[in-house]
Amino acid sequence: MKMISKIILPIIFSIIITGCNATNNTIEPVKEEVKESNVEVVNKDTNTEIKEENKVDNKEEQPVDEKDLAVVYFSVTGNTKTVAEYIKSELDADIFEIVPKQQYVDADLQYNDRNTRATKEQDDKTSRPEIKNDIDISKYDTILLGYPIWWGDCPRIIQTFIETDKLNGKNVIPFCTSGSSGISGSESTLKQYKDVNWQPGKRLTTSKDEVTNWVRSLDIKSSDKSKENNNLNTIKIEVNNKELIVELEENEATNELVQKLNSGNVVVEANEYGGFEKVGSLGFSLTREDKQVTTKAGDLVLYQGNQISLFYDSNSWSYTKLGKVTNMSANELKEVLGSGDVTLTLKK
Ligand SMILES: Cc1cc2nc3c(=O)[nH]c(=O)nc-3n(C[C@H](O)[C@H](O)[C@H](O)COP(=O)(O)O)c2cc1C
């Protein structure tokens, strides 16, 4: 996955940009990463526009502690700023902009030239562009941190900000805007900073409905509560009165699954199949990053985007890996799952 985000994805992005700018050689925008969620991608830089209908209109209010929240964002061409302001007004949160000491001008942002400033900064992992303003977020527990995706990653100035240690000990929910790339490549960079309680992030478009629905789906907890009970990297599965601990992969699908589980348990009626798995419908879709894999006992995978399979033996197929059971041996798991259909209750 890292490979895809860091190498292939920027190449795809480069191809999109080159293709869209070419005059006689039109290449269709790649829609691979445009998800089922509400999508209205307006990439002002490239004039690419991809729209889908809003499918979700969830007006149900979620419990959100708004007192300790702030939105911090970096934006050059205004997309992330638009999203940050929607979040601010939905949560009535304070908002701060990360302002670079040396402003980015158009010439700094040209994708086709590897020698332009933004691209050179992304290519140099040690680059830390200076920040002009002093952002005091000491009184907030939870920060929503927004940025554009640059070459599959967060802009290096975001690392400058994190390295001020101002986010240490806080819950931080990343969000990004992009032409088409997802957030997961940048999350790998963010998670190197282990003193921050990173929450699942989200790529958003400048659709107000999409932003509002996402904000309402968040279950924002105080830092202390989060440390007690919000281990991001695991979920549980209850089956036949036993509890399985599943260590999650880092990808969009697991981010989305954790967000679902923050709003309540998910019950999957899973059928016995093939003498190696229990498989059943989730009732919703997650982002697919299918790859041909050979599963092992304990693997939890996403199948066809909307079903999960829990393996007690091996099979080779194209799946998106979600995680693996860590608290049982293969034999124990096989015994717990039994020979018939099972009810899997997924929970945080
Ligand atoms: C240097 C540079 C690199 C970019 N790389 C990507 C990329 O890898 N994938 C992508 O989908 N969009 C990429 N974009 C597009 C931006 O992510 C997108 O336009 C974003 O919404 C800009 O946010 P802003 O308006 O807040 O600055 C890139 C833009 C720039 C300037």
Side-chain angles (χ1 to χ4, degrees), residues 9 13 43 45 75-81 109 111 118-119 148-152 177-181:
L9 198 148
F13 176 72
N43 183 352
D45 300 320
S75 178
V76 177
T77 55
N79 295 341
T80 314
K81 180 179 179 157
L109 305 170
Y111 324 101
T119 297
I149 294 293
W150 282 2
W151 296 114
T177 65
S178 72
S180 64
S181 301

Side-chain angles (χ1 to χ4, degrees), residues 5 9-14 16-17 33 41-46 73-82 106 108-111 116-120 122 146-153 155 176-182 203-204 206:
S5 322
L9 198 148
I11 293 170
I12 292 174
F13 176 72
S14 175
I16 297 170
I17 301 305
E33 293 209 38
V41 179
V42 181
N43 183 352
K44 289 178 184 162
D45 300 320
T46 61
Y73 71 95
F74 169 66
S75 178
V76 177
T77 55
N79 295 341
T80 314
K81 180 179 179 157
T82 300
D106 279 355
D108 297 329
L109 305 170
Q110 299 308 312
Y111 324 101
T116 51
R117 178 182 165 201
T119 297
K120 276 204 296 200
Q122 293 311 102
Y147 49 84
I149 294 293
W150 282 2
W151 296 114
D153 205 344
C176 71
T177 65
S178 72
S180 64
S181 301
R203 171 185 178 261
L204 294 161
T206 51

Side-chain angles (χ1 to χ4, degrees), residues 228-282:
E228 277 166 25
N229 64 12
N230 204 19
N231 183 347
L232 268 182
N233 299 321
T234 61
I235 60 166
K236 294 168 194 144
I237 299 180
E238 200 181 283
V239 53
N240 291 334
N241 297 320
K242 293 272 192 254
E243 195 167 79
L244 314 178
I245 310 284
V246 179
E247 195 177 293
L248 296 176
E249 294 281 315
E250 276 183 22
N251 57 33
E252 298 261 327
T254 54
N255 283 348
E256 292 160 3
L257 181 61
V258 167
Q259 266 171 22
K260 279 270 181 200
L261 297 181
N262 280 336
S263 318
N265 296 347
V266 170
V267 178
V268 176
E269 297 302 338
N271 298 122
E272 160 59 31
Y273 185 80
F276 46 76
E277 69 176 326
K278 307 290 180 188
V279 56
S281 171
L282 278 167

Side-chain angles (χ1 to χ4, degrees), residues 39 106-107 124 139 177 209-210 225 229 254 268-269 294 300 344:
V39 174
D106 279 355
D124 175 5
K139 68 176 182 178
T177 65
D209 279 352
E210 185 196 356
K225 271 193 226 154
N229 64 12
T254 54
V268 176
E269 297 302 338
T294 300
L300 182 72
L344 304 174

Side-chain angles (χ1 to χ4, degrees), residues 11 47 67 260 264 309 342:
I11 293 170
N47 296 328
K67 291 190 296 289
K260 279 270 181 200
S309 290
V342 289

Side-chain angles (χ1 to χ4, degrees), residues 132-249:
K132 184 172 164 191
N133 51 334
D134 185 27
I135 297 172
D136 183 3
I137 47 167
S138 49
K139 68 176 182 178
Y140 306 98
D141 271 352
T142 298
I143 307 295
L144 289 108
L145 179 66
Y147 49 84
I149 294 293
W150 282 2
W151 296 114
D153 205 344
C154 59
R156 298 279 169 239
I157 198 168
I158 293 295
Q159 289 177 265
T160 311
F161 181 66
I162 297 168
E163 288 172 14
T164 62
D165 293 342
K166 289 179 176 179
L167 296 176
N168 289 359
K170 299 184 191 294
N171 291 314
V172 182
I173 306 171
F175 64 95
C176 71
T177 65
S178 72
S180 64
S181 301
I183 197 168
S184 56
S186 64
E187 284 185 304
S188 308
T189 299
L190 300 182
K191 284 177 183 168
Q192 293 166 18
Y193 299 95
K194 304 224 183 287
D195 292 327
V196 181
N197 301 323
W198 296 107
Q199 305 289 317
K202 178 92 174 147
R203 171 185 178 261
L204 294 161
T205 69
T206 51
S207 150
K208 189 171 187 187
D209 279 352
E210 185 196 356
V211 176
T212 306
N213 284 328
W214 175 65
V215 169
R216 289 178 184 180
S217 77
L218 294 173
D219 178 19
I220 297 171
K221 297 184 168 66
S222 79
S223 316
D224 288 340
K225 271 193 226 154
S226 163
K227 276 175 205 149
E228 277 166 25
N229 64 12
N230 204 19
N231 183 347
L232 268 182
N233 299 321
T234 61
I235 60 166
K236 294 168 194 144
I237 299 180
E238 200 181 283
V239 53
N240 291 334
N241 297 320
K242 293 272 192 254
E243 195 167 79
L244 314 178
I245 310 284
V246 179
E247 195 177 293
L248 296 176
E249 294 281 315

